Amino acid sequence: MKTILLSNYSANVLRAILSLKVVDKDIPEPGKDEVLVKLHAAAVNPSDIAFIQGGYNIVKPLPATPGFEGSGTIVEAASGLKNLIGKKISCFVQNDEGGTWSEYFTVHKDDLILLDDRMDMDQAACFTVNPFTGYGLINIALMRESTAVIQNAAGGQVPGFVRTLAKENGMEVINIVRKPATAERLVKEGCKHVLTEQDADFKEKLKTLARELNATTAFDAVGGVLSGNIFNAMPGDSELVVYGGLSGKPMSGIDTMDVIFNDKIVSGFNLIDWKNELDKNEFVEIVEELQQKFINGEMKTNIRESIQFEDIVRGLKEYIGNMSSGKILIKP
Ligand SMILES: NC(=O)c1ccc[n+]([C@@H]2O[C@H](COP(=O)([O-])OP(=O)(O)OC[C@H]3O[C@@H](n4cnc5c(N)ncnc54)[C@H](OP(=O)(O)O)[C@@H]3O)[C@@H](O)[C@H]2O)c1
């Protein structure tokens, strides 16, 4: 089978991308409680980029096949799981041996989502991570009874799902982006509140809007100074939920007095921990609800291009150059 191998982690993203090679390898055998999946398409997410840079919380022994998410068909299975052969799945793989940027890979049964036949398999390649993250984030805002939320990196896919689910729940969204072109697109798509980080009056505008709309929950995928800017702009009794570190910089500039006197807090969100806290039935119901939204077309990942394994270097360079243009999929 063909697989993509990373031979060196490198903080320099271009160097990391250039170290990816397509090689031939034996098809792996499923271990206990595992199935073997034939890939339909693998997603490329910011976590994959952080992984090849050696900056993610998963560090595999090298050489390793990257890729945490994908869709495909089960073609072999450990004993006790043979009934799954032939099923279409979406999955999230974080074991040392696995990696979805491969024609075949093994997955633990608990990391699979069995798909409804009506699910589009390209959409399924990006189903296990971002839609559930958007769902988990919106639930935090609902539990806090927020009627408005703030989010940065607003041109990305998680923020897109947050907007869809916020609308469904009657919540206003203040969207923050870093490029004027992304702001223009969001306005064209009907977003009412869009701010660009570099605007001279960004901090004042954000503070005015946050207080006017009483935006008491914010979702931060960026970190750095933007975390402090958002935190300080929010009214009292607010929560900044950090779920990504796209700037690669430590969060900074948080107003100490706000934390002490205005009941404002910072928390973290991690999809795996969120999923582990749900009981099994609750998760099954959420899977069903989200699949239905994909089948109806209410939710959709914006996919810009599908590339073949051999195009991995060009594809990744294009993705990191303009992440707001949508995901690339890797296909055999
Ligand atoms: N904690 C969890 O469990 C969890 C789960 C899923 C996703 N995430 C995180 O969620 C975030 C978004 O993921 P995604 O798949 O939605 O991303 P995506 O669709 O690939 O898009 C990334 C977005 O981030 C923007 N961006 C990149 N670097 C930035 C920076 N330094 N400052 C400001 N904006 C920046 C990009 O804007 P440009 O177009 O300007 O590049 C783009 O709009 C990532 O950090 C990812 O790791 C976390």
Side-chain angles (χ1 to χ4, degrees):
M1 67 166 190
K2 268 191 220 167
T3 194
I4 294 173
L5 275 190
L6 175 76
S7 47
N8 287 304
Y9 293 111
S10 173
N12 178 318
V13 69
L14 280 180
R15 209 169 286 158
I17 291 173
L18 288 170
S19 91
L20 295 167
K21 298 270 172 309
V22 182
V23 300
D24 281 316
K25 245 181 114 176
D26 289 341
I27 297 176
E29 279 181 23
K32 187 174 177 297
D33 291 332
E34 284 185 345
V35 299
L36 177 70
V37 173
K38 184 175 186 336
L39 179 73
H40 169 80
V44 177
N45 289 313
S47 52
D48 297 308
I49 303 298
F51 168 76
I52 64 172
Q53 291 182 282
Y56 195 55
N57 69 329
I58 304 288
V59 181
K60 301 183 191 181
L62 296 179
T65 295
F68 297 127
E69 196 184 22
S71 64
T73 306
I74 297 176
V75 290
E76 188 48 278
S79 67
L81 299 175
K82 298 280 184 199
N83 60 320
L84 295 178
I85 294 174
K87 302 263 187 226
K88 296 220 162 40
I89 58 101
S90 174
C91 63
F92 184 62
V93 190
Q94 287 203 324
N95 58 43
D96 281 354
E97 304 76 37
T100 58
W101 296 3
S102 191
E103 261 186 294
Y104 293 86
F105 53 89
T106 55
V107 193
H108 191 274
K109 66 176 173 46
D110 293 343
D111 299 330
L112 293 174
I113 291 177
L114 295 178
L115 296 172
D116 186 303
D117 282 344
R118 295 167 295 167
M119 245 336 239
D120 176 88
M121 289 303 282
D122 282 4
Q123 289 294 319
C126 323
F127 182 63
T128 35
V129 179
N130 286 343
F132 290 84
T133 303
Y135 189 99
L137 293 175
I138 280 295
N139 259 20
I140 295 172
L142 286 172
M143 303 241 289
R144 294 181 43 74
E145 298 183 356
S146 295
T147 50
V149 297
I150 303 174
Q151 62 176 351
N152 54 21
Q157 300 307 306
V158 172
F161 294 129
V162 164
R163 275 193 295 279
T164 304
L165 296 166
K167 192 172 175 194
E168 197 180 292
N169 287 288
M171 257 179 227
E172 298 259 24
V173 181
I174 302 171
N175 296 282
I176 302 170
V177 297
R178 63 173 171 176
K179 294 177 187 159
T182 314
E184 267 174 44
R185 173 171 68 80
L186 294 189
V187 169
K188 265 194 206 142
E189 287 174 6
C191 296
K192 210 156 119 196
H193 311 293
V194 185
L195 302 176
T196 308
E197 278 174 53
Q198 293 102 328
D199 287 351
D201 53 356
F202 167 67
K203 282 204 265 182
E204 291 72 41
K205 270 192 187 158
L206 179 60
K207 190 167 186 170
T208 306
L209 204 50
R211 288 168 194 233
E212 211 174 276
L213 299 175
N214 198 27
T216 52
T217 308
F219 308 130
D220 180 7
V222 177
V225 288
L226 192 52
S227 301
N229 289 341
I230 296 174
F231 186 88
N232 301 341
M234 295 167 88
D237 194 19
S238 286
E239 180 168 347
L240 177 75
V241 183
V242 185
Y243 72 104
L246 286 162
S247 67
K249 303 213 172 89
M251 295 164 63
S252 58
I254 286 173
D255 185 327
T256 318
M257 295 302 142
D258 249 2
V259 178
I260 303 171
F261 297 112
N262 291 327
D263 248 340
K264 289 164 80 167
I265 54 171
V266 177
S267 64
F269 175 90
N270 173 27
L271 181 66
I272 298 171
D273 296 336
W274 173 79
K275 189 185 157 194
N276 288 342
E277 279 165 23
L278 299 171
D279 71 49
K280 207 168 175 198
N281 287 341
E282 215 178 339
F283 184 66
V284 169
E285 278 169 25
I286 297 169
V287 167
E288 177 54 32
E289 183 184 339
L290 290 178
Q291 280 207 76
Q292 210 49 57
K293 287 185 191 300
F294 271 76
I295 291 163
N296 295 343
E298 285 167 61
M299 282 173 89
K300 191 176 181 203
T301 294
N302 175 17
I303 297 167
R304 78 166 89 166
E305 191 190 358
S306 294
I307 59 160
Q308 297 209 308
F309 282 27
E310 289 72 15
D311 262 345
I312 186 70
V313 170
R314 177 190 65 79
L316 291 191
K317 279 186 190 167
E318 283 181 16
Y319 169 64
I320 60 165
N322 189 359
M323 292 169 134
S324 294
S325 291
K327 294 291 181 194
I328 59 163
L329 296 184
I330 305 171
K331 289 188 177 175

